[in-house]
Amino acid sequence: VADASGCSMIALLHTGAAKFPQNLLPRSRQAVSPLFPAGVLKGFSSIVSRKLASHGFGASMAAMSSFPPQRYHYFLVLDFEATCDKPQIHPQEIIEFPILKLNGRTMEIESTFHMYVQPVVHPQLTPFCTELTGIIQGMVDGQPSLQQVLERVDEWMAKEGLLDPSVKSIFVTCGDWDLKVMLPGQCQYLGLPVADYFKQWINLKKAYSFAMGSWPKNGLLDMNKGLNLQHIGRPHSGIDDCKNIANIMKTLAHRGFIFKQTSKPF
């Protein structure tokens, strides 16, 4: 409780701000406002904020209060790159497998899974593929097969706590191709099972169109332009595309958009 000068309360907050209940801060300001000019109260508030930040509360509290809560604990941003040519080769094979684990409260990247994959049906990359994706032959030669990479994805998911039934997570892709066409098609060709967690996702193009009222014909480039964001890295780099998707999601979340599953159940 503040004495006549209000100093006791300020001293309490200055020395033990991390223990001070946040719901009492507005009341404390009301209690001391008749006693201090606005400038002093502003400084007092700044001291409390710095104290909270020093104990690890500041950033997370600011992030949580800046946009409404999402329906998922984590978003798993994914963007495959695959073998390709003109005319298109068949079957296509995944050659880059990146995933970003995005915290649903803060919309910040918490963890990254990133591996290159050796194609087996068409092991030699075409010049068109290298020019489009920036992936050269030496980046896929000697790398694990898709089956081995999928096993490592499962290990990563378990390590990150994403296989816990109480943790809600969902994949996010720029379009439906990655998880509706590419992964199940290659797994079927190779006789591999598709894990259940790959069977529901959010198509960012659809989410963007719901939020902004227009369809992004040119994918990430149009979404970045529509949100006044700088494009990260090079187009058709899987890991760079994931970073752009994450940045777009964070921007839409800060505007109040709530992400929902767009894929239909398998």
Side-chain angles (χ1 to χ4, degrees):
V1 181
D3 57 20
S5 66
C7 292
S8 298
M9 180 170 285
I10 291 178
L12 170 65
L13 292 173
H14 182 73
T15 56
K19 301 176 183 178
F20 194 77
Q22 286 301 292
N23 62 337
L24 295 183
L25 283 176
R27 299 182 200 176
S28 69
R29 293 191 186 100
Q30 292 174 5
V32 298
S33 59
L35 304 171
F36 291 93
V40 173
L41 285 177
K42 185 177 181 181
F44 155 73
S45 178
S46 177
I47 289 171
V48 173
S49 298
R50 287 198 302 273
K51 278 285 182 180
L52 288 166
S54 70
H55 287 270
F57 294 124
S60 58
M61 287 177 61
M64 285 188 286
S65 63
S66 60
F67 54 86
Q70 296 290 330
R71 296 184 171 195
Y72 297 92
H73 298 116
Y74 296 101
F75 297 104
L76 305 176
V77 179
L78 176 149
D79 189 272
F80 296 138
E81 298 303 325
T83 52
C84 53
D85 201 5
K86 283 191 173 183
Q88 188 59 273
I89 57 177
H90 297 284
Q92 281 188 279
E93 299 172 83
I94 295 168
I95 55 175
E96 185 181 7
F97 204 127
I99 307 172
L100 299 180
K101 179 188 176 188
L102 202 64
N103 186 303
R105 291 185 301 109
T106 65
M107 301 306 285
E108 298 291 343
I109 298 168
E110 284 195 354
S111 182
T112 301
F113 178 93
H114 186 213
M115 292 189 70
Y116 291 99
V117 190
Q118 180 166 310
V120 294
V121 182
H122 300 288
Q124 194 70 30
L125 301 183
T126 64
F128 174 83
C129 183
T130 293
E131 183 178 352
L132 180 70
T133 66
I135 299 173
I136 62 174
Q137 192 66 40
M139 295 167 71
V140 297
D141 284 346
Q143 295 301 309
S145 66
L146 180 64
Q147 180 177 359
Q148 292 170 320
V149 170
L150 289 173
E151 290 170 357
R152 295 190 189 182
V153 168
D154 202 65
E155 292 169 0
W156 178 79
M157 296 276 288
K159 179 175 70 73
E160 295 294 330
L162 297 166
L163 301 185
D164 184 334
S166 66
V167 176
K168 293 185 65 178
S169 66
I170 189 167
F171 279 90
V172 183
T173 59
C174 184
D176 292 321
W177 174 82
D178 301 82
L179 294 178
K180 186 176 183 179
V181 177
M182 187 61 241
L183 182 63
Q186 189 178 357
C187 284
Q188 183 179 26
Y189 183 90
L190 296 173
L192 301 174
V194 178
D196 286 343
Y197 47 70
F198 286 126
K199 295 180 180 179
Q200 49 275 320
W201 64 88
I202 295 169
N203 178 344
L204 184 64
K205 292 180 182 179
K206 290 181 180 178
Y208 177 91
S209 68
F210 297 152
M212 303 297 287
S214 63
W215 183 261
K217 294 180 181 179
N218 294 314
L220 294 174
L221 296 177
D222 280 359
M223 288 186 272
N224 277 327
K225 184 178 180 181
L227 295 170
N228 296 314
L229 299 174
Q230 289 292 323
H231 192 86
I232 300 169
R234 65 166 288 159
H236 302 295
S237 158
I239 191 64
D240 287 347
D241 284 352
C242 284
K243 292 174 183 176
N244 281 286
I245 293 170
N247 200 29
I248 290 164
M249 291 184 68
K250 182 178 180 179
T251 302
L252 290 176
H254 276 279
R255 293 186 176 201
F257 185 73
I258 306 296
F259 289 92
K260 303 173 185 176
Q261 178 178 331
T262 62
S263 65
K264 295 179 181 180
F266 272 50

